Amino acid sequence: MLKRAFLMLCAAGTFTAMHAQTQYTIAADKVKAHIQPTMYGIFFEDINLAADGGVYAELVKNRSFEFNMPLMGWKEQKKDGGDGRTEVINRAVERPENAHFIKSYITTDAGFYGFSNEGFRGMGVKEGEEYSFSVIAKQEGDTNVKLNIELHGDNDAVIGKAELTPTDKEWNRYSVKFKSSATTQKAQLYVWMSGKGVIDLDMISLFPEHTWKNRPGGLRADLVQRLADLKPGFLRFPGGCIVEGRELSNRYQWKKLSARLINARISLTAGIRSLNTVQRLIITKLSVWALWSIL
């Protein structure tokens, strides 16, 4: 036992002596090897709200009703005696690129019927910031259903509102802007409908006017600017296992990724021309393609 302890002590002493004699000198001011700027960049994976709810500035969750549960993120609301019902219409055979929309029946003349949207764990909005609400809609009844848009903040206080009345019986895009009167991280969007009638709605959207490089329907200015400041040499997307999708049917297929908004509901040439370059390059709910422009 003593012999073993003695040998271990000697070995430890020898190890310490050997390493005590070794010195390393680092010349931080001298370049030994050049690394090309294209050798480092950004790894972007569409998980944990990195895209929707992250770099993409869209505030509405499930704006086109294409989640596996078509009304996920939405909650039916009624006030002042208003009533109605809503159906999710599936047109996958005719329009597989954007199969779902909602048809709402407002059954009372008085009061309001509608939906609230929770956003991506809430909607972060800023006091004084202008926001753009848009929707693709068509009237189905003899009278026009009116839309009242409200942004609700802390304690359910109304911190922004606007009115909008779609008029066409064919799909068309309508938009209106308003400002938030408060700053909060947990706002919700309310879309109220009034006046007895039937209306179809799709692509219900809310964007801050101030996006990165002020592009309508673009990316979050704060997050993407931080990425751009890294001066990445490349952008890896899709990253990780998400490249294969949750299942084979929803994997990334490059030939199907562009022009999803154009093929959504609008058939009018003028409506198509109104979509900007970023919108032409996004998936129905995603716009990470625009990240390429930071390179």
Side-chain angles (χ1 to χ4, degrees):
M1 184 70 178
L2 291 175
K3 182 179 180 180
R4 182 180 179 184
F6 176 76
L7 292 174
M8 292 178 65
L9 183 62
C10 289
T14 302
F15 179 83
T16 302
M18 290 176 59
H19 283 268
Q21 296 172 4
T22 303
Q23 294 184 355
Y24 297 93
T25 301
I26 299 175
D29 59 335
K30 296 182 180 180
V31 177
K32 293 295 184 180
H34 290 277
I35 300 176
Q36 295 296 325
T38 53
M39 294 296 290
Y40 57 89
I42 297 173
F43 177 104
F44 186 89
E45 187 169 10
D46 182 16
I47 59 174
N48 301 329
L49 303 182
D52 289 341
V55 295
Y56 192 32
E58 173 66 74
L59 295 172
V60 175
K61 180 179 180 179
N62 189 21
R63 66 181 180 185
S64 55
F65 311 103
E66 300 298 337
F67 282 25
N68 289 335
M69 298 173 61
L71 290 179
M72 180 178 287
W74 297 92
K75 184 178 180 181
E76 188 179 54
Q77 302 286 351
K78 303 175 183 179
K79 71 174 182 178
D80 299 338
D83 202 359
R85 61 185 177 86
T86 294
E87 300 174 353
V88 176
I89 306 300
N90 187 341
R91 297 179 57 188
V93 174
E94 302 97 315
R95 303 301 298 270
E97 75 282 351
N98 194 1
H100 300 96
F101 65 92
I102 60 171
K103 184 184 293 290
S104 291
Y105 300 83
I106 294 78
T107 57
T108 55
D109 289 316
F112 299 87
Y113 168 81
F115 289 88
S116 61
N117 187 275
E118 64 187 26
F120 298 93
R121 301 175 186 171
M123 298 179 180
V125 298
K126 297 180 180 180
E127 181 180 358
E129 178 82 46
E130 192 169 47
Y131 294 87
S132 178
F133 172 88
S134 65
V135 62
I136 298 177
K138 66 173 180 175
Q139 300 281 359
E140 291 281 4
D142 296 329
T143 58
N144 290 334
V145 174
K146 181 180 178 180
L147 303 181
N148 288 79
I149 316 305
E150 292 180 351
L151 194 60
H152 287 208
D154 299 336
N155 301 317
D156 208 32
V158 177
I159 59 175
K161 60 182 179 179
E163 296 180 356
L164 190 64
T165 303
T167 55
D168 290 349
K169 292 186 179 297
E170 299 294 334
W171 287 110
N172 210 336
R173 184 178 183 272
Y174 302 87
S175 63
V176 65
K177 298 179 181 180
F178 60 88
K179 290 186 177 182
S180 173
S181 62
T183 297
T184 179
Q185 297 299 317
K186 297 292 184 179
Q188 292 197 8
L189 177 71
Y190 279 68
V191 180
W192 296 108
M193 294 170 277
S194 60
K196 187 182 292 186
V198 183
I199 189 170
D200 296 339
L201 302 173
D202 195 14
M203 300 296 290
I204 301 174
S205 173
L206 185 67
F207 268 92
E209 279 294 284
H210 177 52
T211 59
W212 192 63
K213 294 191 174 180
N214 295 314
R215 294 167 175 166
L219 305 178
R220 267 186 58 172
D222 53 351
L223 291 181
V224 179
Q225 187 59 55
R226 288 179 180 272
L227 297 179
D229 290 343
L230 294 174
K231 295 180 172 53
F234 64 86
L235 169 64
R236 176 181 169 182
F237 168 77
C241 296
I242 200 67
V243 67
E244 66 220 28
R246 293 184 179 274
E247 53 191 46
L248 193 61
S249 62
N250 56 32
R251 69 193 184 280
Y252 284 98
Q253 299 182 67
W254 307 112
K255 62 183 179 295
K256 296 182 179 180
L257 293 186
S258 62
R260 289 292 296 272
L261 271 179
I262 293 178
N263 293 325
R265 299 292 169 216
I266 302 177
S267 59
L268 298 177
T269 303
I272 293 175
R273 283 200 300 265
S274 71
L275 300 177
N276 59 52
T277 302
V278 173
Q279 289 173 318
R280 291 192 183 99
L281 293 177
I282 70 175
I283 311 173
T284 302
K285 312 174 195 65
L286 177 64
S287 115
V288 296
W289 280 97
L291 281 171
W292 284 108
S293 62
I294 72 176
L295 301 180

